[in-house]
Amino acid sequence: MASAGNKSGAVTEFILAGVPNLNSTKAELFSIFLLVYLVTLTGNMLIVGVVGADTRLQTPMYFFLGNLSCLEILLTSIIIPKMLSNFLSRQHTISFAACITQFYFYFFLGASEFLLLAIMSVDRYLAICHPLHYPLLMNGTVCFQVALACWLGGLLSVLGPTVAVSLLPFCEQDAVVQHFFCDSGPLLRLACTNTKKLEETDFILASLVIVSSLMITAVSYGHIVLAVLRIPSASGRQKAFSTCTSHLMVVTLFYGSAIFLYVRPSQSDSVDTNWAVTVVTTFVTPLLNPFIYALRNDQVKEALKDLLKKVVAGFWGDFLLAKSFNKKTTR
């Protein structure tokens, strides 16, 4: 009955089913996911740090890359730590408030990332196809405003659906969410009311955000490919295609998995395979993005080397100073 749902305070927590065993022990899965998480954090934090510290990287492309890395850090951090803690705990519970919070931030950050990827593709299109107008079109003010619009677009677009989900009646206390986090489909499946209208609304919003940003990205890269084909040098074409191919690989993984998961009329009917596809958006693409977009770049490599030299020099100087001070105090 709806009156027994969370609106009357009956449901205070859920149980997360977690990741299927996959013939592996919990210790093995914990070690793998922890390693991926730490590498993802390290790679994205390095990009944020070096972009902020090195003046050579104060350009629109690296500004957007820094924003992308911030989104990846936050996106993985709202999902993976809770998942890792469940590997070490016998109780896989999550409070109702924490579940809704996780739900909101996952979709807010995901929507922002789709919008940002579209903007990044337009930025590359303008830089390659309209180099003379590029400094005027993508100045510092425009870049800040566009990035802010991406964050606000994600924040506001999922606010309504989140409030609607939080008001749904969930009749069963300690109901099992068939996932390793509070995703839309598994949550809607637990509601003891008809969620068809909410699923249709989710479908329309997902289509608007994901498909529209995909179209912008596809058109931008299409123009970029045509521009690359006009490069007279064979080595220049090969280098450009290598970069475009790696970018498109990550974009295809991210968009493909998101379309499979969310751009469909009903999300609650097919939740059994969702966890496997969600691994792509929560583990694979955040892990690959730093290497594909930045760490393969010569400018970023040089900036990282210089930053490392400064850090080592600073530590060495502090060490020598402390050593000299200790010698004086012992005399």
Side-chain angles (χ1 to χ4, degrees):
M1 293 174 59
S3 61
N6 62 293
K7 288 188 284 188
S8 62
V11 175
T12 58
E13 62 183 17
F14 296 107
I15 297 174
L16 295 174
V19 179
N21 198 5
L22 301 177
N23 298 321
S24 299
T25 65
K26 285 186 176 181
E28 290 173 340
L29 290 174
F30 176 84
S31 301
I32 292 169
F33 288 131
L34 177 61
L35 178 62
V36 171
Y37 179 54
L38 293 177
V39 173
T40 300
L41 280 185
T42 302
N44 283 289
M45 284 180 174
L46 276 175
I47 291 174
V48 174
V50 75
V51 168
D54 199 299
T55 55
R56 292 171 295 181
L57 302 182
Q58 305 297 319
T59 64
M61 182 178 76
Y62 294 112
F63 172 74
F64 292 132
L65 282 175
N67 277 266
L68 180 65
S69 290
C70 287
L71 285 169
E72 298 288 25
I73 291 168
L74 294 172
L75 184 64
T76 53
S77 296
I78 62 164
I79 302 295
I80 301 177
K82 177 60 180 175
M83 189 181 104
L84 292 174
S85 70
N86 285 344
F87 280 116
L88 304 176
S89 173
R90 291 182 179 181
Q91 293 183 332
H92 298 172
T93 57
I94 183 171
S95 69
F96 181 82
C99 185
I100 295 300
T101 302
Q102 190 183 61
F103 174 96
Y104 175 70
F105 277 96
Y106 173 76
F107 287 104
F108 149 46
L109 296 168
S112 298
E113 186 163 340
F114 283 117
L115 297 174
L116 185 63
L117 285 172
I119 294 302
M120 289 171 65
S121 67
V122 172
D123 172 68
R124 290 298 83 209
Y125 158 71
L126 292 174
I128 293 171
C129 301
H130 300 280
L132 297 179
H133 298 95
Y134 178 71
L136 179 64
L137 294 172
M138 298 300 290
N139 58 58
T141 303
V142 171
C143 290
F144 175 79
Q145 291 173 344
V146 168
L148 181 62
C150 291
W151 285 83
L152 290 177
L155 187 146
L156 297 175
S157 64
V158 301
L159 188 59
T162 304
V163 172
V165 170
S166 69
L167 296 176
L168 285 174
F170 296 97
C171 306
E172 186 181 347
Q173 179 73 305
D174 292 332
V176 178
V177 178
Q178 295 296 331
H179 214 319
F180 54 81
F181 78 104
C182 292
D183 199 2
S184 177
L187 269 181
L188 294 178
R189 197 177 191 180
L190 299 177
C192 54
T193 187
N194 192 331
T195 61
K196 185 177 180 181
K197 289 186 178 179
L198 182 55
E199 290 185 58
E200 289 174 351
T201 303
D202 289 346
F203 169 68
I204 293 170
L205 282 173
S207 299
L208 286 174
V209 173
I210 298 174
V211 177
S212 61
S213 63
L214 175 61
M215 292 300 296
I216 293 171
T217 303
V219 170
S220 298
Y221 273 108
H223 284 289
I224 290 171
V225 169
L226 291 176
V228 169
L229 289 173
R230 291 194 290 267
I231 296 176
S233 168
S235 60
R237 286 197 303 271
Q238 185 178 1
K239 184 179 179 180
F241 271 124
S242 175
T243 303
C244 288
T245 302
S246 58
H247 287 189
L248 287 173
M249 180 182 70
V250 175
V251 168
T252 301
L253 281 173
F254 194 56
Y255 277 103
S257 57
I259 289 172
F260 175 83
L261 288 170
Y262 304 114
V263 185
R264 54 187 182 187
S266 178
Q267 296 179 28
S268 61
D269 294 337
S270 304
V271 298
D272 296 332
T273 58
N274 282 9
W275 71 269
V277 183
T278 309
V279 166
V280 175
T281 58
T282 54
F283 286 92
V284 178
T285 53
L287 177 66
L288 291 178
N289 277 341
F291 299 97
I292 296 298
Y293 284 107
L295 298 180
R296 294 170 69 245
N297 185 290
D298 291 335
Q299 279 184 294
V300 176
K301 288 179 182 178
E302 287 298 320
L304 280 173
K305 288 178 182 177
D306 293 343
L307 182 63
L308 182 61
K309 288 177 183 177
K310 289 179 182 179
V311 171
V312 172
F315 276 119
W316 183 247
D318 291 340
F319 172 75
L320 292 178
L321 185 63
K323 190 176 180 180
S324 175
F325 178 77
N326 288 334
K327 284 183 177 180
K328 289 180 181 179
T329 56
T330 55
R331 286 177 181 176

